[in-house]
Amino acid sequence: MSISQDVSNAIRTGVLVIAGSVLASVVMVAIWIQALQEITPIDVLIMAAIMPMLIAPVFCYFVLKDHIRAARLARENYRLAHMDELTGLPNRRAFFEAARQIQARAGFVGHHFYCAIADVDNFKRVNDQLGHEAGDQVLREIAATLNAKAPVDSIVARLGGEEFSMAGMFPSEADAARAFRALVAVVDRTPILTPDGPLPVTISLGYCEGSRTTELSSILSQADRALYAAKRGGKNRALDFNHPSRQTGSFARSAGTAA
């Protein structure tokens, strides 16, 4: 809804409340005068005290009802705009909003800021062999695992398809490496339970450090390049864009298992 529409609705509501209050006051005064025949100053004071108490609750009810409905719609609109429907994770828009805040906070407290992109290995094979329902289940459960195991002061989001992103701040490069390695490892250790039995699933992950002033899109682009290097290097591992020789984990069970 545009600002002009909001203002228009507010003015219309105000006019209706005023008109309704005046009408109710006139009707109540007319009935009172008809009943009393003679009006004394005391009667006027009593009317002035009682009428607002009778009128206000009625109009407050309708105003509050409209406010509650507007708040409910606003929450639903926010959810649709910021949350991924399938996994319940934040979506790309929400990720960028939260990541920028983490990036600024990391620079303020002197921590290292990192972005990562993870991709589900062999996801097309899951869809082709087990169907899209199984694929959706894989995405939901991996999303839940990543979200549960992500470090404090981080956000996990779904970028789209089988890609997930993470942004966080860490006391040191070693802490970041351990955290990303742990995410790859925990997915490797957590098979997805399907009607056809446990399904081993792995992810590949690329990550990159960025400064307080580096554009998030640039950091993510570099993390994405590290992700594809991890894929080419055997998958089921995490790779640092800034230190590609410093591989932080390879958990493949056997050749061809993790794709």
Side-chain angles (χ1 to χ4, degrees), residues 18-95:
I18 293 172
S21 300
V22 171
L23 179 61
S25 299
V26 170
V27 171
M28 291 176 64
V29 169
I31 294 174
W32 201 314
I33 292 174
Q34 187 68 26
L36 295 179
Q37 298 298 326
E38 295 183 4
I39 303 296
T40 66
I42 297 298
D43 295 327
V44 173
L45 290 176
I46 293 173
M47 278 190 259
I50 291 178
M51 276 196 299
M53 291 189 289
L54 295 176
I55 296 172
V58 176
F59 286 99
C60 282
Y61 167 77
F62 289 106
V63 171
L64 287 174
K65 183 179 178 181
D66 187 64
H67 176 75
I68 291 171
R69 184 179 63 180
R72 186 182 299 117
L73 288 174
R75 287 195 300 270
E76 179 63 15
N77 288 336
Y78 181 89
R79 185 187 68 81
L80 292 174
H82 291 79
M83 303 301 289
D84 176 61
E85 193 71 23
L86 176 64
T87 63
L89 290 179
N91 61 15
R92 177 183 289 269
R93 171 189 286 185
F95 173 78

Side-chain angles (χ1 to χ4, degrees), residues 198-217:
L199 175 67
V201 177
T202 62
I203 61 172
S204 296
L205 185 146
Y207 62 99
C208 179
E209 183 178 7
S211 69
R212 185 175 60 181
T213 58
T214 309
E215 286 291 331
L216 274 176
S217 56

Side-chain angles (χ1 to χ4, degrees), residues 79-125:
R79 185 187 68 81
L80 292 174
H82 291 79
M83 303 301 289
D84 176 61
E85 193 71 23
L86 176 64
T87 63
L89 290 179
N91 61 15
R92 177 183 289 269
R93 171 189 286 185
F95 173 78
F96 271 82
E97 291 177 3
R100 288 190 181 100
Q101 296 177 12
I102 296 172
Q103 184 180 24
R105 198 161 65 247
F108 181 77
V109 300
H111 281 198
H112 298 258
F113 175 74
Y114 280 85
C115 282
I117 297 182
D119 184 88
V120 182
D121 297 325
N122 277 344
F123 187 69
K124 185 176 185 301
R125 186 187 303 172

Side-chain angles (χ1 to χ4, degrees), residues 20 139 183 191 198:
L139 293 177
L183 290 178

